[in-house]
Amino acid sequence: MNGADSTQQCKSSLLNAIAGEERSIVCDMSGTTRDAVDTKVTLPSGQKLTLIDTAGIRKRSRVAESPDGAEQISVDRAMRAVRRADVAVLVIDAVEGITQQDFRLSELFAAEGKAVVVVVNKWDRVDPRLWTVEKMADNVRTQLRHVAWASVVCTSAIYGRHVEDVLEAVLDAGEQHRRRVPTATLNMVLREATQWKAPPTQRGSLRKGRIYYATQAGARPPSFVFFVNDEKLFPDDYRRYMERQLRDNIGFPGSPLRLFWRGKPKREPRARPATSTTPGAGGSASRGGGRRGGGNRVGGRGGGWGGN
């Protein structure tokens, strides 16, 4: 679980609520958690999880002001913890709102290809006349555009409210992150998407993009390869359209997608076979050679070189 400086208390409270006992120190003072701490949890279903409580990640300027440099080490360890996790939980303070550091963390999670759950904590302190869960979720996805596909859960960890929803969102995001789709299903969605909105035609040219088929190349995150006539014929807006179609028709809530576009390999021009001619030796590789006695004619009609 990762959070900015102001959410250190929120993050540790949430972990303790999920674990059902006090595993992390809850304190208003920033920097309480310096190392990434692994917590083993066994769910009632028997499923085992490893929760990683990381150090709160503050702004770079404030990290640089750390007198002993220990905080920079903590941040580095937190970043390494993110890379070994399957699902990243970004904890946001509902009162403070989304910060610039939250935005940067979401960008990091997306770049690393992690499934993401955004937890808006301290929901009990939000004015219900101004905010609903749906309105807050839309606000989060708008501001954190790199993870607009993330699951959003509003909680009050200190009171244990909706903590089970966080766990459910994490498990679902992890499942979607590992998900594989049959090729037949994928191409059925592909056909319907292209019928609804055909690939564009290149400006100033009659060339039009064609998608032959698609297949899933990997998981964690789900990655798809689209085989096309020329990848340059598919602009970014059409590629985003195709990703939306995959999400609308197949799902993947909480998980990023990777789409790769592969064009047909260009054929290399055939090399012409080399021909050799020998002056004065009756006959040659070309047509018509040797028609007159010992003369050699090259290339059909016209004069030859050599003599009778």
Side-chain angles (χ1 to χ4, degrees):
M1 297 183 181
N2 296 84
D5 179 41
S6 61
T7 60
Q8 179 65 53
Q9 181 185 13
C10 305
K11 183 166 54 63
S12 298
S13 297
L14 180 61
L15 186 143
N16 291 338
I18 293 175
E21 58 182 303
E22 189 170 338
R23 300 287 187 91
S24 294
I25 299 174
V26 179
C27 180
D28 290 331
M29 184 182 300
S30 63
T32 304
T33 304
R34 285 295 182 94
D35 295 322
V37 180
D38 288 13
T39 300
K40 305 291 184 179
V41 175
T42 302
L43 304 180
S45 62
Q47 185 175 0
K48 296 182 179 181
L49 299 178
T50 300
L51 308 179
I52 308 173
D53 186 16
T54 67
I57 301 175
R58 302 197 296 175
K59 295 181 179 180
R60 293 180 181 178
S61 58
R62 298 179 67 179
V63 171
E65 294 172 359
S66 177
D68 56 358
E71 188 165 356
Q72 181 59 55
I73 297 175
S74 298
V75 171
D76 293 340
R77 290 173 178 172
M79 293 302 184
R80 287 198 296 269
V82 169
R83 294 186 178 96
R84 65 186 176 92
D86 293 313
V87 182
V89 179
L90 179 61
V91 184
I92 293 174
D93 190 318
V95 178
E96 182 178 356
I98 297 174
T99 65
Q100 182 65 26
Q101 191 68 353
D102 294 329
F103 180 84
R104 290 175 179 172
L105 286 172
S106 70
E107 189 176 18
L108 169 67
F109 298 158
E112 292 290 336
K114 303 301 180 183
V116 177
V117 174
V118 179
V119 175
V120 183
N121 199 27
K122 299 184 181 180
W123 188 243
D124 57 294
R125 297 173 59 181
V126 172
D127 188 346
R129 296 171 298 179
L130 300 177
W131 290 99
T132 63
V133 173
E134 293 76 15
K135 187 176 179 180
M136 177 60 74
D138 290 341
N139 178 61
V140 168
R141 294 189 177 106
T142 300
Q143 294 196 53
L144 303 180
R145 61 177 182 273
H146 295 100
V147 293
W149 36 262
S151 301
V152 181
V153 183
C154 298
T155 68
S156 178
I158 195 170
Y159 295 112
R161 297 174 185 169
H162 303 292
V163 173
E164 66 281 358
D165 295 339
V166 176
L167 194 55
E168 182 180 346
V170 167
L171 294 175
D172 186 54
E175 182 179 350
Q176 296 297 322
H177 199 237
R178 299 185 299 270
R179 184 179 177 186
R180 288 187 173 273
V181 179
T183 301
T185 301
L186 180 62
N187 284 279
M188 181 180 65
V189 173
L190 178 62
R191 284 193 298 272
E192 293 179 355
T194 53
Q195 289 173 1
W196 182 259
K197 182 178 180 180
T201 302
Q202 189 178 44
R203 291 183 179 179
S205 172
L206 296 179
R207 297 192 65 198
K208 185 175 183 178
R210 290 187 60 189
I211 304 177
Y212 301 118
Y213 69 97
T215 186
Q216 184 169 359
R220 300 175 62 186
S223 303
F224 303 93
V225 179
F226 287 73
F227 293 89
V228 300
N229 56 340
D230 188 347
E231 67 273 15
K232 296 178 181 178
L233 297 177
F234 296 86
D236 291 341
D237 60 342
Y238 195 84
R239 299 186 184 202
R240 288 191 294 268
Y241 162 76
M242 196 57 66
E243 179 176 346
R244 288 195 302 272
Q245 292 301 306
L246 292 181
R247 292 192 180 278
D248 291 345
N249 292 279
I250 301 178
F252 303 106
S255 175
L257 299 181
R258 296 285 186 266
L259 273 61
F260 302 96
W261 299 74
R262 183 175 299 176
K264 292 177 63 176
K266 296 181 179 180
R267 297 180 179 179
E268 296 183 0
R270 295 182 178 180
R272 294 183 179 181
T275 58
S276 59
T277 57
T278 304
S284 72
S286 61
R287 292 185 300 174
R291 181 174 295 181
R292 293 184 182 179
N296 289 333
R297 298 178 62 192
V298 182
R301 296 184 179 181
W305 53 279
N308 290 331

